Amino acid sequence: MSLLLELAGNKAKARAAAKELTIPQLENLIAGFNNALVKLKEEEALIVAQEAEKTAAAGKIAQLIAESGLTMEEVAMLSAPKATVSKGKTVDPKYRLEIDGEVFEWTGRGRTPKVFQEYFDKGNTKESCMI
C-alpha cells in the first residue's frame, strides 16, 4: 500500500514504474483504477444523499416541534423511556383460615400454601374458607 501512495504522490516515480510494465498490463491497471474511482465516487454520492435526507428529516422534525409549541428538552423528556418499572397490582386475599388463633390469608393464586392444602386434604372445600 505504501508503494501506491508513493507512486500517487510522485509523477516521476509513477512513470518510472510504468516503464517496467507492458502496454496491456498498464491498460489493465488503469482500468482497475478507473473502476475503483467510479465505485468510490458512487459511495461518496450515496453518503452525501443520505446526509441530505437526514438533514431534511431533521428540518421537518424541528418544524413540527416548533409548530407544537414544545421545546427540544420537553420532547426529549417525554420520549425518554421511564426509569422505574411498576410492579404488578397487589391482589386482595380471597380465602381466610383461622387456626389456633392465627389468621392465614391466600389470594387463590399461585401454589396453595401448606396450611390451606392441609385444610383441603381433610375434606374441606375452598368455598368453606372463602372471604
Side-chain angles (χ1 to χ4, degrees), residues 19-39:
K19 287 182 181 178
E20 297 176 13
L21 300 174
T22 64
I23 291 176
Q25 289 174 329
L26 270 175
E27 288 174 344
N28 188 27
L29 185 62
I30 291 170
F33 282 134
N34 282 334
N35 286 339
L37 180 63
V38 167
K39 287 192 180 205

Side-chain angles (χ1 to χ4, degrees), residues 24-116:
Q25 289 174 329
L26 270 175
E27 288 174 344
N28 188 27
L29 185 62
I30 291 170
F33 282 134
N34 282 334
N35 286 339
L37 180 63
V38 167
K39 287 192 180 205
L40 282 174
K41 284 183 178 180
E42 288 173 354
E43 289 173 3
E44 189 174 303
L46 180 64
I47 291 171
V48 168
Q50 288 173 342
E51 289 297 319
E53 285 178 18
K54 287 181 183 179
T55 302
K60 288 179 185 177
I61 292 170
Q63 181 182 0
L64 287 172
I65 290 172
E67 289 173 2
S68 70
L70 296 171
T71 63
M72 288 297 288
E73 292 78 21
E74 291 171 332
V75 170
M77 188 174 62
L78 293 172
S79 63
K82 294 182 180 178
T84 59
V85 176
S86 61
K87 292 184 178 181
K89 294 181 184 177
T90 57
V91 180
D92 294 331
K94 192 173 178 182
Y95 304 99
R96 181 177 294 139
L97 277 178
E98 188 173 335
I99 300 175
D100 298 328
E102 192 173 350
V103 177
F104 298 94
E105 293 182 335
W106 177 42
T107 62
R109 295 184 179 184
R111 189 171 183 183
T112 307
K114 287 183 181 180
V115 173
F116 284 91

